[in-house]
Amino acid sequence: MNFGSIFLSEALGTGVLTLLGVGVVANVVLAKTKGFDGGWLLINFGWGLGVFGGVYVAYKSGGHLNPAVTIGMLFNGADEYAPGVAVTAGNTIAYLTAQMVGGFLGATAAYVAYKKHFDAEPDAAKKLGVFSTGPEIRSYSWNFATEVIATFVLVLVIIGIGHTPSGLGPLAAALLVVGIGASLGGPTGYAINPARDLGPRLAHAVLPVTSAARVPAGVGARSGGTESAETPQPQRKNNDWAYAWVPVLGPLVGGALAGLVAAAVF
């Protein structure tokens, strides 16, 4: 495969993954959706099935869909990223850039699908949470450790699946993601994929996600005048860039470590 073929395959696959993953979070947390308050396990299964669909779409490039998987294979000493795709600097760049672009586009498509529900949701933090992960208890070092551990499990098992083919393929990867979300997703929301977090976070930054808030009459009224009930007031968009390095570097470190360990084990 050439650069363009790799890029198209990974971008489409990662786009499907992110569309379905961001979509299930939107369905669970945004106001007035049919899946509102569907729970953590619904989100886990939605992301897992997003992986299932994305891997099939990107089968030609091996369905990495995740820079941590690509980096893990690189550190594992693999000769090929997929059958017929040599491990080269150019191909590595193709994978990494395509995954980020796919993450951005998939999140953008999810925003379009849920546009009216984003408009109806008054909580800006929930809107950001649809696009990107965040910690329940903010402690950068421990949040980083959680992402390293969860991604280590992801990449180690994926490499192991490649060495012990069972015919399950994408289904095995999907169930693995469901399991990681159920077991290790509580502290940070289990990004385990820089493209899944940074791409959608960038989409949140550029899309008109934050609608005007409504405040009661008289709140913030100017001297000598009054404001009508539910006067629109602009909300300040917060992309939480202070945390954004954790779901990027944590998975990359976890993937690299998994690649090294897998080289010694398998």
Side-chain angles (χ1 to χ4, degrees), residues 4-218:
S5 297
I6 295 169
F7 187 94
L8 181 61
S9 177
E10 284 292 311
L12 285 174
T14 309
V16 168
L17 160 66
T18 311
L19 169 59
L20 297 182
V22 171
V24 73
V25 180
N27 195 21
V28 169
V29 306
L30 293 182
K32 301 181 180 180
T33 68
K34 292 184 179 295
F36 179 71
D37 204 23
W40 182 243
L41 286 180
L42 177 58
I43 291 175
N44 295 163
F45 275 98
W47 275 106
L49 293 174
V51 170
F52 183 74
V55 171
Y56 272 117
V57 170
Y59 79 95
K60 286 186 177 180
S61 58
H64 293 196
L65 315 181
N66 183 344
V69 172
T70 304
I71 294 300
M73 295 185 69
L74 180 65
F75 275 75
N76 186 238
D79 296 322
E80 293 183 321
Y81 283 131
V85 184
V87 175
T88 66
N91 287 345
T92 302
I93 292 171
Y95 276 93
L96 300 182
T97 55
Q99 290 154 1
M100 288 296 178
V101 169
F104 180 92
L105 294 177
T108 300
Y111 167 75
V112 172
Y114 281 90
K115 172 64 168 64
K116 300 303 292 184
H117 297 276
F118 277 107
D119 292 345
E121 175 57 61
D123 190 336
K126 285 186 177 181
K127 295 176 184 181
L128 175 61
V130 170
F131 287 87
S132 56
T133 62
E136 289 301 301
I137 300 176
R138 187 171 296 249
S139 174
Y140 293 120
S141 58
W142 290 106
N143 302 150
F144 179 82
T146 298
E147 287 294 331
V148 170
I149 292 167
T151 311
F152 177 88
V153 173
L154 173 72
V155 176
L156 182 69
V157 175
I158 285 176
I159 293 175
I161 291 170
H163 285 282
T164 56
S166 61
L168 294 176
L171 179 59
L175 293 175
L176 173 61
V177 169
V178 173
I180 291 172
S183 300
L184 298 171
T188 62
Y190 75 118
I192 61 174
N193 182 344
R196 168 266 174 275
D197 193 276
L198 183 56
R201 197 183 296 268
L202 290 169
H204 176 270
V206 301
L207 291 169
V209 176
T210 303
S211 59
R214 298 282 176 173
V215 298

Side-chain angles (χ1 to χ4, degrees), residues 188-265:
T188 62
Y190 75 118
I192 61 174
N193 182 344
R196 168 266 174 275
D197 193 276
L198 183 56
R201 197 183 296 268
L202 290 169
H204 176 270
V206 301
L207 291 169
V209 176
T210 303
S211 59
R214 298 282 176 173
V215 298
V219 176
R222 297 177 183 274
S223 177
T226 60
E227 292 179 309
S228 62
E230 297 205 334
T231 302
Q233 299 292 319
Q235 292 177 331
R236 180 180 178 183
K237 186 185 291 187
N238 178 14
N239 300 298
D240 198 8
W241 293 118
Y243 180 78
W245 66 273
V246 173
V248 173
L249 293 184
L252 291 178
V253 171
L257 290 174
L260 293 172
V261 171
V265 173

